[in-house]
Amino acid sequence: RERGFNQAEVIARHLGARLRLPVAAYALGRTRETTAQTTLADARTRRENVAGAFSVNEPEAIRRKTILLVDDVYTTGATMAECAKALHGAGSRDVWGVAIAKG
């Protein structure tokens, strides 16, 4: 939001169009604000920062489906792991993750 757009959503939409896959950009959302992960030094602090910070807004969009979770940067995997946890908890079959860059 600070940048004025969601770069992961832009990447997901391009990837979805290229692979002819639907994009459910709003199926997953934050339940609370968190500190920017880039400001946190270690993996433990990053995991704690995002613990419980995501929930599924549109369960019907992900239930019994294989999900490709798209992010812009993968550093410790804390955000992706927490998002996958929420998706699995709401009934997704499998969750795969892809990121454009490794931090």
Side-chain angles (χ1 to χ4, degrees):
R1 263 184 264 156
E2 289 177 17
R3 295 182 193 117
F5 67 99
N6 181 340
Q7 60 279 10
E9 182 181 345
V10 171
I11 295 164
R13 291 204 181 278
H14 282 284
L15 190 59
R18 185 82 166 148
L19 298 174
R20 294 186 174 106
L21 294 172
V23 176
Y26 300 102
L28 184 68
R30 286 187 182 271
T31 58
R32 62 181 173 80
E33 291 299 315
T34 58
T35 303
Q37 292 286 78
T38 57
T39 66
L40 303 174
D42 61 83
R44 182 187 58 78
T45 306
R46 287 175 179 224
R47 281 191 306 273
E48 290 171 355
N49 184 49
V50 295
F54 300 94
S55 68
V56 173
N57 300 323
E58 299 177 16
E60 65 283 351
I62 61 97
R63 192 170 290 121
R64 293 183 303 277
K65 294 184 180 169
T66 297
I67 307 299
L68 180 60
L69 185 59
V70 177
D71 206 352
D72 55 344
V73 178
Y74 182 100
T75 303
T76 62
T79 302
M80 201 170 280
E82 198 62 29
C83 289
K85 181 178 171 184
L87 291 163
H88 280 299
S92 67
R93 180 177 303 141
D94 292 306
V95 178
W96 292 82
V98 63
I100 300 304
K102 172 99 170 87

